[in-house]
Amino acid sequence: MHPLEQLALDVADGRTSLDSGERTAAALAASGAVTGQDLICWFKTAEWLAHREGLWERALLLGRLLTAAVEALPASTSPYDRVRCRSAWTELVHLCVIHRPDGALFASGVRAGHAALAAARGLSDDLAGQVLYRLGTLHLDPFSRAKDLWWEEHRLWLSLCPQAALAGLPEPHEALKTAEGHLREAATLRSGAGLGYTCKALAQALQQQEFLALTTTADAASSTSAATSLGSQGAALDSVATLDSVTALCDQALALIPVEDLVARASVEAIRSGAGPAAPGVSPA
């Protein structure tokens, strides 16, 4: 059994504390027993787990160990590997906060994404585009709701953790505007299927801003996020694209997303119909 696998099992079963596990993972990386390539592969395993409904917490635990190892990698580690690992942590955070809000975890994903982006800009446009896409969806999917139930669904999500754990989460309008900015830049750097998924996410970001702006004053006032959101509703309406623009983005997404990705294509169709995304957080990065 790989030492990282055994370590993850020991932490999951309570034989080792998370703090101790992170120190051990860092020591493995510092000694060269675990390489950047190894960590990239393990992040893929964590992402696979995160897509399984009952296993996202196990995925997050593994990801925390991997992140500790990334920060301890030797200076000789390939910068591409460092970027890909930090970008992978951003994606894993994205997949996990959809299930349960966590301000500190969200902030960790943002920091890793910005660190990855700063390095990727000097390495590859395609890599930088992927990091921007992941930063965009991190700010998008946890704040995407059905049009007529926006604040009800948002309040339900916020209720899944203690109030203190919400500190560090952006306000919905701020998160969606940030998502739009990252996705617009990502679209200038990506091509093929990657561009298709980016167009899908950008259409969703524009539509969600419209949904939020159209929320009634009464609904917004009863939300924990109301005070800030109410003041920004007019600005949000001014910033979103027209329905035709959302439709054009959806058309472009469908032209580029592989025909076999039925889930993503169904989500695009749901956005184009005005219903909102069918299943956030499932599209490849």
Side-chain angles (χ1 to χ4, degrees), residues 16-252:
T16 301
S17 69
L18 178 58
D19 286 347
S20 177
E22 288 176 334
R23 289 193 295 271
T24 301
L28 287 170
S31 69
V34 176
T35 67
Q37 284 291 319
D38 292 333
L39 294 175
I40 290 169
C41 292
W42 279 103
F43 268 117
K44 290 178 181 179
T45 297
E47 185 177 337
W48 182 87
L49 289 170
H51 280 290
R52 273 66 194 169
E53 184 66 28
L55 297 177
W56 70 268
E57 289 179 292
R58 181 66 65 93
L60 179 57
L61 185 154
L62 176 57
R64 290 188 187 279
L65 298 178
L66 298 176
T67 297
V70 170
E71 299 310 313
L73 286 168
S76 58
T77 301
S78 163
Y80 282 91
D81 290 351
R82 288 184 189 274
V83 168
R84 292 176 65 191
C85 285
R86 286 174 174 150
S87 175
W89 173 242
T90 298
E91 175 63 8
L92 189 59
V93 169
H94 158 234
L95 295 173
C96 291
V97 295
I98 289 172
H99 292 280
R100 185 173 65 209
D102 185 320
L105 180 62
F106 184 91
S108 172
V110 172
R111 287 193 302 272
H114 282 295
L117 179 59
R121 289 192 189 280
L123 297 173
S124 160
D125 282 352
D126 186 63
L127 188 58
Q130 184 191 59
V131 177
L132 283 161
Y133 172 81
R134 288 177 167 179
L135 278 167
T137 55
L138 173 59
H139 287 84
L140 172 64
D141 287 326
F143 301 93
S144 292
R145 312 281 178 243
K147 179 179 181 180
D148 297 329
L149 297 171
W150 209 101
W151 285 107
E152 288 84 348
E153 291 185 0
H154 188 65
R155 287 195 296 271
L156 178 60
W157 179 66
L158 293 177
S159 73
L160 296 177
C161 75
Q163 184 72 26
L166 301 179
L169 287 176
E171 293 293 331
H173 74 280
E174 176 189 343
L176 293 171
K177 190 62 182 173
T178 299
E180 179 189 345
H182 286 316
L183 293 166
R184 285 193 184 280
E185 186 176 359
T188 68
L189 299 175
R190 309 192 84 191
S191 60
L195 177 58
Y197 292 117
T198 302
C199 289
K200 166 187 171 293
L202 180 55
Q204 180 182 328
L206 295 174
Q207 187 177 73
Q208 285 294 317
Q209 288 182 78
E210 183 179 8
F211 287 177
L212 182 57
L214 293 174
T215 302
T216 65
T217 299
D219 286 342
S222 63
S223 165
T224 58
S225 303
T228 304
S229 297
L230 278 172
S232 65
Q233 284 187 10
L237 267 178
D238 291 340
S239 70
V240 298
T242 64
L243 181 60
D244 286 343
S245 296
V246 172
T247 300
L249 284 166
C250 289
D251 289 344
Q252 187 172 4

